[in-house]
């Protein structure tokens, strides 16, 4: 996350527009793998900021590799999400207005290892077990995922 760190050195905690590449990892049977963040304890999909000149698919793959030590394959674009509900204030005071480019992956391999220190745990969830402390950003994409792949309307 070198680009964002460099910007933060110059502008402090002010709101920045942050394009992010994100991945919903599913098993194809109605379960999704979510991660719990260490900084705020909330659950969400996987991903993060895109670096300068980085391809969005490569950024999504890099983020999953950094966060979980997993290799994701056959990414399919789910959608691009932005707006007021994607304004996020981190526990350290940094503010972002995220543009989430969200991919879906049903094929991955590797051994879980939380490499970058941002993730405290991962867990599989189905439509009935989505955690109540879900971050705001992934809610719309998770609803779209369950609607597109399983014709299920989630109320999260």
């Amino acid at each position: 996350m070198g680009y964002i760190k460099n910007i933060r050195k110059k502008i402090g905690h002010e709101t920045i527009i942050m394009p992010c590449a994100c991945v919903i990892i599913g098993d194809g049977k109605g379960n999704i793998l979510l991660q719990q963040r260490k900084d705020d304890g909330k659950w969400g999909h996987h991903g993060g900021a895109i670096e300068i000149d980085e391809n969005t698919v490569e950024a999504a793959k890099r983020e999953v590799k950094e966060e979980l030590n997993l290799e994701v394959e056959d990414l399919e674009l789910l959608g691009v999400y932005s707006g007021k509900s994607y304004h996020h204030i981190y526990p350290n005071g940094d503010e972002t207005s995220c543009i989430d480019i969200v991919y879906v992956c049903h094929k991955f391999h590797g051994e879980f290892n939380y490499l970058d220190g941002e993730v405290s745990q991962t867990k599989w969830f189905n439509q009935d077990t989505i955690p109540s402390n879900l971050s705001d950003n992934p809610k719309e994409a998770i609803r779209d995922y369950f609607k597109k792949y399983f014709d299920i309307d989630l109320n999260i």
Side-chain angles (χ1 to χ4, degrees), residues 22-36 42-47 63-65 67-72 102-114 119-127 129-131 134 138 142 145-146 150:
C22 306
V23 182
I24 294 177
I25 297 174
D27 66 0
K29 300 173 186 172
N31 299 298
I32 59 173
L33 183 69
L34 298 178
Q35 65 181 24
Q36 187 175 39
K42 293 187 177 182
W43 291 87
H45 50 28
H46 321 282
E63 284 289 336
V64 173
K65 180 70 173 172
E67 292 171 355
L68 306 177
N69 195 39
L70 295 179
E71 302 279 346
V72 292
V102 181
Y103 295 93
V104 171
C105 168
H106 291 122
K107 186 176 180 183
F108 61 92
H109 60 276
E111 300 270 336
F112 283 110
N113 186 354
Y114 311 130
V119 178
S120 62
Q121 66 175 319
T122 56
K123 187 176 175 183
W124 290 96
F125 295 93
N126 64 37
Q127 68 190 32
T129 61
I130 300 292
L134 188 65
I142 290 171
Y145 171 82
F146 277 97
F150 303 100

Side-chain angles (χ1 to χ4, degrees), residues 135-154:
S135 292
D136 287 334
N137 285 30
K139 288 180 180 179
E140 187 177 5
I142 290 171
R143 283 193 298 266
D144 288 352
Y145 171 82
F146 277 97
K147 182 66 177 172
K148 178 177 180 175
Y149 292 95
F150 303 100
D151 199 28
I152 295 170
D153 292 315
L154 283 186

Side-chain angles (χ1 to χ4, degrees), residues 51-113:
E51 294 292 336
I52 291 176
D53 296 332
E54 189 175 29
N55 173 291
T56 60
V57 171
E58 293 306 314
K61 289 179 178 183
R62 174 186 53 77
E63 284 289 336
V64 173
K65 180 70 173 172
E66 288 175 1
E67 292 171 355
L68 306 177
N69 195 39
L70 295 179
E71 302 279 346
V72 292
E73 301 175 29
D74 302 331
L75 297 182
E76 177 184 335
L77 181 64
L78 179 64
V80 179
Y81 302 87
S82 60
K84 288 184 181 183
S85 62
Y86 294 86
H87 189 102
H88 185 76
I89 302 172
Y90 288 89
N92 70 356
D94 288 353
E95 291 194 45
T96 60
S97 178
C98 294
I99 301 169
D100 286 354
I101 302 161
V102 181
Y103 295 93
V104 171
C105 168
H106 291 122
K107 186 176 180 183
F108 61 92
H109 60 276
E111 300 270 336
F112 283 110
N113 186 354

